[in-house]
Amino acid sequence: MQIVEWIRRRAENVVAGLLGVMFAAFIVQIVFRYFFNFPVGWSTELSVVSWLYMVLLGSSLWLTESEQIRFDLLTGAVGPRARRVIAFIAALAAVTLFGMALPATVKYVAFMKVERSSYLNIRMDILYSVYVVFAVAVIARYAWLAWTELRGEAEPSSVTVEGRDR
């Protein structure tokens, strides 16, 4: 799946760039506040927006299934077949819940075009649109996971604990 790998690499580039922007805005805020005694609000807003985009784009497009944070208390206590069943149910639940929420999410993001950010004056629908990308990516990712679990071809990390089958 070369297209998925290409998207992951571009998302990694974007996340790295956003981390750089966030760090630069943080340094600017420190310099202006403590050296010039002139706090600037736009740097804080830019840091928050960068962090938001970094987290949502990174978690939806960059991280692999094995890099996702999981609470595997239940799945660690059962065998591989039960883990596949649990993974399938969890994936199906994620697809269902995010899919049900998607129309209202899109509607809300579109509604937010009437608001603008305080300092950068960016329309809020543009800022919040990253959540729609996140939701669609989660739906696609977990639909694929459910399909692979159903076929018994899941990525090993989705059915194993710490990289090894118990």
Side-chain angles (χ1 to χ4, degrees), residues 149-165:
E149 293 290 353
L150 194 59
R151 295 180 58 198
E153 302 170 357
E155 184 179 321
S157 61
S158 67
V159 294
T160 60
V161 176
E162 297 176 6
R164 55 188 154 70
D165 233 350

Side-chain angles (χ1 to χ4, degrees), residues 2 22 30 50-51 53 69 77 80 98 105 132 137 141 147 154:
Q2 291 179 351
M22 191 169 79
I30 289 172
S50 297
W51 180 81
Y53 271 67
I69 296 173
F98 273 90
T105 300
V132 176
R141 169 180 277 191
W147 175 249

Side-chain angles (χ1 to χ4, degrees), residues 51-62 127-128 130-134 137:
W51 180 81
L52 176 70
Y53 271 67
M54 192 170 53
V55 168
L56 292 177
L57 288 177
S59 64
S60 63
L61 301 175
W62 178 36
L127 291 180
Y128 287 158
V130 70
Y131 187 78
V132 176
V133 173
F134 169 77

Side-chain angles (χ1 to χ4, degrees), residues 45-116:
E45 192 170 288
L46 183 59
S47 292
V48 169
V49 169
S50 297
W51 180 81
L52 176 70
Y53 271 67
M54 192 170 53
V55 168
L56 292 177
L57 288 177
S59 64
S60 63
L61 301 175
W62 178 36
L63 293 178
T64 62
E65 199 61 34
S66 63
E67 296 168 328
Q68 298 287 337
I69 296 173
R70 299 174 190 273
F71 295 103
D72 60 357
L73 206 57
L74 179 62
T75 59
V78 297
R81 187 171 184 168
R83 276 195 293 275
R84 281 192 290 275
V85 170
I86 292 168
F88 174 76
I89 292 169
L92 197 60
V95 169
T96 302
L97 294 173
F98 273 90
M100 288 170 55
L102 189 60
T105 300
V106 170
K107 189 175 178 182
Y108 181 74
V109 168
F111 166 75
M112 288 306 292
K113 70 182 175 191
V114 300
E115 296 287 330
R116 291 188 170 275

Side-chain angles (χ1 to χ4, degrees), residues 26-40:
F26 177 70
I27 295 300
V28 166
Q29 178 67 14
I30 289 172
V31 168
F32 273 80
R33 175 170 290 201
Y34 296 108
F35 290 107
F36 300 126
N37 198 25
F38 185 71
V40 289

